[in-house]
Structure formats: structure tokens, C-alpha cells
Amino acid sequence: MRVELEFTAKDANRAVERKDLVIVIDALRSGTSIVHALGNHAKKIIPTLSLKDAYDIHRKHPEYLLAGERRGQKPKGFNLGNSPLEFTEEKVKGKTLVITTTSGTAALINSQKAKWVFVGSFLNAETVARTAEETASKEEGNISFVLAGEKGRFSLEDSLCAGAIMNELTIDGIVMSDSARMALLAYRMAKTDLIDNVLQGQHAKHLMNLGFKQDVIFSCRINIFKIAPVYKYGRITVQG
Ligand code: MLT
């Protein structure tokens, strides 16, 4: 099995063209928010590229919760921002959420033509690794990580998170691209001081300036949810 890594949301098409199983990563913060919401029993999550698409869906379904950010902040009229800590069981259990964020939801939507798209984060690293390798093995396919990145550029925390998931892969005979191997090696270097290392990243610093340090700390928690969210037919759910 081959494991590849694409650095930004706009590179997702390469993974789709290769017909790989895709794991989308936006560790800070939308991927973590999505995993936390589904871990707290949200029914489904619909990602959108634009605010307009989110408002349009909400107009038709006012019972859905609008979530996300622009410039890190909750947009006007939204129920929830993009702080993973906001997605508590009390707020999201049984609900459908519509989420739009700067780069994370673009990475998802750009990957949606892949047969399998999973949402990965530090929170569910082991389960998403296990589910992805089992699914890809069954189909004799390969795995691509698509990182959201930060406004079209490489981001430290997304590659460390991809490395954390690769670190949980157990099958023999994996062949890694250089970018994938770099992420794995970087995670192994960083993991003992994961929070401190993630806090050194540009996006983490930006989030800290906005007062979101606790989001960064929470996003670094490893394997607290045993779920592998799947993005299919325009929505993200937990199967089973
Ligand atoms: C994004 O999608 O660009 C991020 O989730 C932004 C954020 O941290 O709110």
C-alpha cells in the first residue's frame, strides 16, 4: 500500500485523480471540531465552501445549527463558531450541523469525489488509521492525506497530525512518499512535547492572539474518540 500526502486543500484533486482513499486533516480547528461534534453524537455535518451556501441550507432547514468561522470568528447569525470546545453534547447531540471554515471545509469539498473520505484529527488518530487501512486493503487501494493547510500554505499542525495517524498504521509493506515520511518523522520528533510544538506553529500563534489557546491544547489530545467520520453524499457521519 502506498501512502501519500498533499500539503494544501487545493492539492486534493491529485489524491482524487489517483483514486486514493482520502483522509482530510485540519487539526486547527475544523477537523477537530467535526470529530468532537460527532463524538458528542451530532447526527450529521454538512460542510460548505461559502457562507452563502451555509445560510441557504439554513433557510430551508432552520432547525440545523450553523457552525464555522471567517477570520477565526463566528460569522453573523451562526449558532457556533469553530472552537472545538463549543461542540458539547448538550449543544450538538442529535443535531444536524452546517459548517463552513476558511480552509478545512475546502479540503473536504475538494476531496469529495474520492470514493472514501475520512476526517482525521489527533482526537481520533488510531481509529481513523485502523478504518482507513482496513478499507484501503479490502479495495486494494492506497491512502492519501489531504491537509487543509493555512490559506493555501503548508501548516505544521496538519502535517504533525497526519504523522500521528501514520504512526498508528499497522499493516506491512507500506510505501511512503517523501512528504508522507517527513510528516511521520516530524510527528515522532514532536510527540513528546506535542502541545508545545503545535503552539510554535503560525496558525496556533494566530489563534492564541485571538484568545483561542485552549482550542489548540484540546486539539492536541490523542485518541480520545474511537470514531472514523466518513464524508459521503455531501455530509459527514459516523457509521455503525
Ligand atoms: C480553517 O478551516 O481554515 C480553520 O479551521 C480556521 C480556524 O482555526 O478557525
Side-chain angles (χ1 to χ4, degrees):
M1 184 182 298
R2 200 170 27 79
V3 175
E4 294 263 1
L5 180 143
E6 301 295 344
F7 286 126
T8 70
K10 68 176 171 7
D11 302 320
N13 63 309
R14 294 198 205 132
V16 173
E17 280 164 19
R18 286 194 296 268
K19 300 194 187 313
D20 286 353
L21 176 153
V22 172
I23 302 174
V24 173
I25 313 273
D26 181 23
L28 297 177
R29 297 169 289 169
S30 71
T32 304
S33 294
I34 288 167
V35 170
H36 196 209
L38 290 166
N40 279 333
H41 312 292
K43 187 174 168 193
K44 62 178 189 284
I45 301 181
I46 302 168
T48 73
L49 261 187
S50 68
L51 286 173
K52 181 181 177 304
D53 289 350
Y55 288 126
D56 285 349
I57 294 173
H58 192 248
R59 210 166 295 119
K60 285 188 207 137
H61 300 279
E63 72 281 14
Y64 291 1
L65 297 180
L66 284 175
E69 56 75 38
R70 285 297 180 271
R71 298 174 189 273
Q73 305 289 0
K74 180 163 84 171
K76 198 166 165 240
F78 273 39
N79 308 92
L80 299 158
N82 191 28
S83 288
L85 294 165
E86 286 186 68
F87 295 74
T88 58
E89 184 161 354
E90 196 189 359
K91 288 194 184 140
V92 304
K93 189 174 177 182
K95 306 269 191 200
T96 296
L97 276 56
V98 180
I99 188 166
T100 180
T101 69
T102 309
S103 310
T105 51
L108 280 162
I109 286 162
N110 294 349
S111 302
Q112 70 184 324
K113 288 200 178 125
K115 182 172 176 195
W116 289 102
V117 181
F118 292 97
V119 181
S121 69
F122 288 110
L123 273 51
N124 66 337
E126 187 184 357
T127 304
V128 87
R130 195 73 54 253
T131 311
E133 69 184 357
E134 281 169 16
T135 310
S137 306
K138 230 181 268 166
E139 305 202 348
E140 295 181 16
N142 299 303
I143 296 176
S144 275
F145 288 83
V146 171
L147 312 187
E150 175 58 11
K151 296 192 187 111
R153 300 184 63 192
F154 172 83
S155 93
L156 173 69
E157 67 278 1
D158 289 347
S159 51
L160 291 177
C161 181
I165 297 170
M166 288 173 210
N167 201 44
E168 303 281 359
L169 293 171
T170 56
I171 54 165
D172 294 330
I174 290 178
V175 178
M176 291 194 168
S177 68
D178 283 1
S179 52
R181 185 167 299 282
M182 186 214 60
L184 177 61
L185 293 175
Y187 173 70
R188 287 180 178 165
M189 290 273 294
K191 69 178 182 179
T192 44
D193 295 309
L194 186 62
I195 294 173
D196 285 346
N197 282 308
V198 169
L199 283 169
Q200 299 299 320
Q202 290 170 240
H203 188 51
K205 286 183 182 157
H206 172 66
L207 290 172
M208 278 197 290
N209 284 336
L210 295 175
F212 293 131
K213 184 175 181 185
Q214 290 311 315
D215 287 0
V216 181
I217 292 171
F218 178 75
S219 300
C220 292
R221 294 190 65 188
I222 286 264
N223 294 335
I224 60 168
F225 287 107
K226 293 191 183 313
I227 57 171
V230 183
Y231 179 40
K232 240 186 198 345
Y233 310 123
R235 65 218 185 149
I236 306 164
T237 54
V238 173
Q239 292 176 333

